[in-house]
Amino acid sequence: MCFIELPQTNRLRALHAEMRDAGAPREVFVANANRIIRDVLETCIGQMPYVEHTVKTPVGATYVGTRVAVDVCAVSVVRAGESMEFELSKIFPTLPIGKILIQRDKVSKQAKLFFTSLPEDIAQRHVILMEPMLATGGSALMAISELIAQGVDEERIFFANILASPEGLERVRACHPEMTIVSSSVEQELNQEAFMIPGVGDFGDRYFGTIKSGGQNGQQTRLPA
């Protein structure tokens, strides 16, 4: 498995600090999350195959650049993964985007696939799988298995992620050694409730503004992925 963690620059750490702050207003959280998402997505796209591409400039000169050499689509793991669609649309405005809905059973605590809507030709594409949180890895593994079941080669999957736990990374690595994962941060650990530490709370609730009362920083409102 190819794992890429974004360079931990002072600027990235500043964005993380503002995003992780429990007292950050939603607009601050979203603005900082979007900056990080853009960097993660650009890094994913940078790992894909490229070919030479020559264009004429407005002054009549020739520029020899590159372009992505393969067909690409994205798949969001609903709901938190949909937060990454806005920045993706600015990079690839016409890119097809599929959806996978996975939720945990309240009794068994096991991930369950509820819904998929994927491009018909997904088996011929490189796929950016978008899911901000990689905690236990259960939901990620189910989403990856669904893509493979639809004919996507493992080495064509690029997992775009914001926070990852060491445990989740190791679990995915063991099951899918040919896949690429790009993350902006590897966390310290999972706590006893399987939430990432230091973490960010419930990413989807904070991004979409649906934090419920009663949970620490929104963390207890949903079962961990």
Side-chain angles (χ1 to χ4, degrees), residues 66-207:
T66 63
R67 61 175 174 81
V68 177
V70 295
D71 291 327
V72 181
C73 72
V75 174
S76 301
V77 180
V78 179
R79 170 186 66 156
E82 293 176 310
S83 64
M84 307 178 82
E85 293 179 9
F86 176 69
E87 289 300 317
L88 182 66
S89 70
K90 293 194 289 186
I91 302 171
F92 282 138
T94 61
L95 197 72
I97 299 178
K99 309 278 186 179
I100 295 179
L101 174 60
I102 297 170
Q103 294 182 343
R104 287 186 177 273
D105 185 272
K106 294 181 179 180
V107 177
S108 69
K109 305 298 189 293
Q110 298 300 309
K112 182 178 179 180
L113 178 66
F114 279 85
F115 172 80
T116 61
S117 178
L118 304 173
E120 292 183 0
D121 62 345
I122 194 169
Q124 284 74 53
R125 294 178 179 268
H126 283 54
V127 180
I128 302 172
L129 180 62
M130 301 187 295
E131 168 62 284
M133 302 291 101
L134 175 57
T136 66
S139 295
L141 287 174
M142 181 164 286
I144 295 163
S145 295
E146 179 63 17
L147 294 179
I148 292 174
Q150 296 298 322
V152 181
D153 291 336
E154 184 176 306
E155 62 271 19
R156 293 187 177 186
I157 301 174
F158 297 77
F159 186 74
N161 169 252
I162 306 303
L163 304 183
S165 74
E167 297 91 335
L169 280 174
E170 183 58 33
R171 188 178 176 191
V172 174
R173 183 197 306 270
C175 295
H176 300 289
E178 301 302 320
M179 193 181 74
T180 297
I181 296 179
V182 177
S183 181
S184 75
S185 176
V186 178
E187 300 298 89
Q188 296 173 8
E189 61 182 350
L190 293 178
N191 66 14
Q192 293 182 345
E193 289 75 37
F195 290 107
M196 286 184 280
I197 303 299
V200 72
D202 188 297
F203 190 95
D205 279 345
R206 294 190 71 189
Y207 192 95

